[in-house]
Amino acid sequence: MATSLEHIENVALRQYAEKAYLNYSMYVILDRALPHIGDGLKPVQRRIIYAMSELGLKASSKHKKSARTVGDVIGKFHPHGDSAAYEAMVLMAQPFSYRYPLIDGQGNWGSPDDPKSFAAMRYTESRLTPIAELLLSELAQGTVEWIPNFDGSLEEPTVLPARAPHVLLNGTTGIAVGMATDIPPHNLREVVAACVHLLDSPQASAEELFAHVPGPDFPTDAEIITPAEDIQKIYETGRGSLKMRAIYQQEQGDVVITALPHQVSGARVLEQIAQQMHTKKLPMVADLRDESDHENPTRLVIIPRSNRVDIEGLMAHLFATTDLERNYRVNLNIIGIDGRPAVKSLATILSEWLSFRKETVRRRLNHRLEKILKRLHILEGLLIAYLNIDEVIAIIRAEDKPKPALMERFGISDIQADAILDLKLRNLARLEEFIISTEQNELSEERDTIEKILGSDARMKTLIKKELIAVAQEYGDDRRSPLVVREESRAFREDELLTAEPVTVIVSQKGWIRSAKGLDIDPTGLSYKSGDGYRFAARGRSNQKLVMLDSTGKAYTLVAHTLPSARGQGEPLTGRINPPSGATFEGILFGDEDQRCLLATDAGYGFVARLGDLQSKNRAGKAVLSLPRGSRVMPPMRVVDKDNDLVVAISNEGRMLAFPVGELPELSRGKGNKIINIPAARAADRSEYVVAVAVLSEGDRLLVHAGQRHLNLKRSDLEHYRSERGRRGNKLPRGFQKVDAIDVERKA
């Protein structure tokens, strides 16, 4: 038998794939991942709340097994896996996840340390919380549209008639196809205040709304430290990020953390700190304890090694390197009242929700008005019957079909006639007429009130405003997450983690380096390899960096605490750095990054530099000092006080010049300015050059060596040689024309 192919449609694979993927994308966006602006719920959450209300699990009822709720949800409304439905249910029951939980659970519903540790649904019990009434109380009052469920056997609401902007109260996160949403929770009172303000001033600016909603309010007491201007920008654009920081206090020298950022595990934080302790990155911490219990849900104790530890610095480091400080992405992507997803500003969200609320209230009032009019119509017929009760009874007794007779005799409608015929004998008492008249008057007053509200925008706004204020009074609470201004957190640098022990670094003539503890070391008395000897040394602290200067003008950085001990003979510098072939080391500098030093060449040029500007991580060094042709590098010198120190330069012709250090420029690299004037011709043929340069601080003495002779000069003795930078200088006394070296005798 031949198969008919008439029902088969030929479609290009690309076209089919595009259409299928687009359909899937729209399904995920609209029916799974993003919340609706009306009730702030995703479809699975909405179905859980509705199913629980249909099961009678209101806040006043007894708890029932969660498996029963999940069964109803997936059997009637949400044909997906039970684990997905139950996890969505758990999230709405966790007070550490939801700012205003919608489900009241009994049993194990997870913990802040492990939100996924909840018990199976066959063990837990649940019911709705009182605040869930904000979503359900008007459901049966004609306020929303209803659609068939997945198999058409039941109906479910397209959206719940929320009496407050729930989309902002509990927030939500979701990942769709090509888009995502991250809405933080907010405080009910603040959001209601912003709605009321927007009702009074529909054109209110973002700044005005920001005065009512200063920021999100998470279900934790941790601080929100994002600056106010950044939060306001988030509310204006709908995108950005927030930063939360744990709260701590000091108790008897210990640090006690009492509140963690949203969804941060205390166990995870302790694990992160312990890992740093294990890797020697927190030498100032002695121990950790978790003292959390029912009375103190969060109590993490950090025990410093001593009372000299800088607690603020320690916590700034922990904030920067652990989950004690966390960033939260904000992406206010919501399905609007037009049914389309979009990233919205705070003003747009509130305006759209108020439009939704106005329509909901209008439908509620129309629904009530319709019921009132029907009841009044029936009461009008009943009143006619009571006024003519004997005749009505006679017609009913005499007529085979009393209904048409009653309608014809009294001019009443079909509905009124049915109501009269449905009367019970006991309702024929004379008192019933008074009851009907009273009810008629009450309903007439309510009808008039509703019609006035429906006919006036101002009255409608007033009603919505009163209802919002009543919601805030009934369910509102104080802000939990304080908004504070804090300094930026900063992790410790490697050198800050080291103990600052005094050390002396010694370099030998052949370039071997070592480090000895203490400052009173005599470098010349140490043992050296055969054919080697002492070259120069520097004193500082083990947490500082040192800079080596070579004969080509390059600077190399070494970390003091990594140098070999002076108990041995050290190791060659070439194992740590890569100087050019034939280069020799001319000096060493030791100190903090802001330490100033003088770099100079024997051609008579130099400048002042910061030690931090000379540092480099490159093994090949950093070119810092430019050498004029034929010149050589002078040993670098430490500058103690740039404003008061003196530079002293002596040439091989016996000329000496002294001038303030401040006359030299501060550079990070270069040739520098002229220190002492050497005629160009004499500099070119190297017949005159600088033999020594020194920096003198207040109270220092200058020792000038010439053969067996030496001069011991105080700063006051240098007046004869003081002049402006770049001068020739004055001749030293007879016998000191050939200077071998100069030394500086530092004040005690």
Side-chain angles (χ1 to χ4, degrees), residues 478-599:
D478 295 333
R479 167 174 279 278
R480 290 194 60 182
S481 302
L483 296 154
V484 296
V485 178
R486 299 291 186 195
E487 291 184 5
E488 192 78 16
S489 58
R490 184 183 70 85
F492 287 134
R493 299 191 306 271
E494 184 180 359
D495 57 343
E496 292 176 318
L497 295 173
L498 303 171
T499 54
E501 298 177 344
V503 293
T504 301
V505 176
I506 305 103
V507 179
S508 73
Q509 295 172 1
K510 292 189 176 181
W512 284 61
I513 191 169
R514 48 186 156 168
S515 174
K517 291 184 179 181
L519 303 177
D520 55 351
I521 304 298
D522 179 13
T524 60
L526 298 176
S527 64
Y528 293 88
K529 286 182 175 293
S530 177
D532 200 359
Y534 168 72
R535 178 70 187 278
F536 46 72
R539 292 171 173 82
R541 296 195 171 273
S542 58
N543 63 340
Q544 295 174 328
K545 293 181 179 179
L546 54 92
V547 174
M548 302 287 299
L549 194 65
D550 73 5
S551 56
T552 67
K554 280 189 171 184
Y556 308 85
T557 304
L558 297 172
V559 183
H561 73 90
T562 64
L563 297 177
S565 170
R567 292 192 183 96
Q569 293 176 331
E571 64 181 45
L573 278 165
T574 51
R576 293 172 177 260
I577 55 180
N578 299 327
S581 178
T584 58
F585 296 103
E586 300 299 329
I588 186 170
L589 294 165
F590 211 164
D592 298 325
E593 290 187 358
D594 289 331
Q595 172 67 55
R596 265 65 176 179
C597 58
L598 173 64
L599 303 182

Side-chain angles (χ1 to χ4, degrees), residues 374-668:
K374 285 182 180 179
R375 182 60 180 167
L376 284 173
H377 182 63
I378 291 172
L379 290 175
E380 185 181 344
L382 292 177
L383 198 57
I384 291 172
Y386 280 109
L387 292 174
N388 303 277
I389 190 63
D390 293 335
E391 191 174 354
V392 167
I393 292 172
I395 291 173
I396 292 172
R397 292 185 65 185
E399 297 288 338
D400 292 335
K401 294 183 178 181
K403 182 176 177 180
L406 289 172
M407 293 171 64
E408 183 180 354
R409 169 65 185 86
F410 300 110
I412 59 178
S413 67
D414 186 89
I415 295 173
Q416 290 172 323
D418 283 336
I420 292 170
L421 292 172
D422 288 339
L423 279 173
K424 295 179 181 179
L425 289 175
R426 64 184 178 187
N427 290 337
L428 298 179
R430 292 184 57 84
L431 186 61
E432 195 69 25
E433 182 182 340
F434 173 75
I435 294 173
I436 291 172
S437 298
T438 302
E439 184 183 354
Q440 197 174 32
N441 292 334
E442 290 174 353
L443 291 176
S444 296
E445 288 180 9
E446 188 178 353
R447 177 199 61 199
D448 295 342
T449 301
I450 291 175
E451 288 176 345
K452 287 178 182 179
I453 293 172
L454 290 172
S456 169
D457 285 341
R459 290 176 185 268
M460 176 67 77
K461 286 184 179 179
T462 301
L463 174 62
I464 294 173
K465 192 189 307 181
K466 286 181 178 178
E467 290 179 349
L468 280 170
I469 293 171
V471 165
Q473 290 175 344
E474 184 176 359
Y475 299 107
D477 56 3
D478 295 333
R479 167 174 279 278
R480 290 194 60 182
S481 302
L483 296 154
V484 296
V485 178
R486 299 291 186 195
E487 291 184 5
E488 192 78 16
S489 58
R490 184 183 70 85
F492 287 134
R493 299 191 306 271
E494 184 180 359
D495 57 343
E496 292 176 318
L497 295 173
L498 303 171
T499 54
E501 298 177 344
V503 293
T504 301
V505 176
I506 305 103
V507 179
S508 73
Q509 295 172 1
K510 292 189 176 181
W512 284 61
I513 191 169
R514 48 186 156 168
S515 174
K517 291 184 179 181
L519 303 177
D520 55 351
I521 304 298
D522 179 13
T524 60
L526 298 176
S527 64
Y528 293 88
K529 286 182 175 293
S530 177
D532 200 359
Y534 168 72
R535 178 70 187 278
F536 46 72
R539 292 171 173 82
R541 296 195 171 273
S542 58
N543 63 340
Q544 295 174 328
K545 293 181 179 179
L546 54 92
V547 174
M548 302 287 299
L549 194 65
D550 73 5
S551 56
T552 67
K554 280 189 171 184
Y556 308 85
T557 304
L558 297 172
V559 183
H561 73 90
T562 64
L563 297 177
S565 170
R567 292 192 183 96
Q569 293 176 331
E571 64 181 45
L573 278 165
T574 51
R576 293 172 177 260
I577 55 180
N578 299 327
S581 178
T584 58
F585 296 103
E586 300 299 329
I588 186 170
L589 294 165
F590 211 164
D592 298 325
E593 290 187 358
D594 289 331
Q595 172 67 55
R596 265 65 176 179
C597 58
L598 173 64
L599 303 182
T601 62
D602 68 353
Y605 290 87
F607 60 91
V608 175
R610 281 179 67 253
L611 206 58
D613 293 333
L614 305 182
Q615 294 175 2
S616 169
K617 294 182 179 179
N618 193 348
R619 284 176 58 96
K622 178 180 182 181
V624 294
L625 185 60
S626 301
L627 277 66
R629 183 184 297 274
S631 64
R632 65 180 183 85
V633 175
M634 305 292 291
M637 287 142 287
R638 182 166 168 262
V639 175
V640 177
D641 186 347
K642 186 179 176 183
D643 297 326
N644 295 316
D645 287 0
L646 289 179
V647 176
V648 179
I650 302 176
S651 72
N652 63 333
E653 293 294 323
R655 291 185 174 273
M656 185 165 74
L657 175 68
F659 62 88
V661 172
E663 293 186 13
L664 283 172
E666 183 170 322
L667 306 173
S668 59

Side-chain angles (χ1 to χ4, degrees), residues 241-261:
S241 65
L242 293 165
K243 189 174 288 187
M244 287 196 82
R245 180 178 289 183
I247 292 179
Y248 73 93
Q249 59 192 30
Q250 295 186 49
E251 294 182 8
Q252 299 177 347
D254 296 340
V255 177
V256 180
I257 298 167
T258 57
L260 293 170

Side-chain angles (χ1 to χ4, degrees), residues 70-71 74 78 80-88 121:
V70 172
I74 65 176
H78 198 71
H80 297 276
D82 58 350
S83 60
Y86 184 50
E87 284 187 22
M121 59 185 173

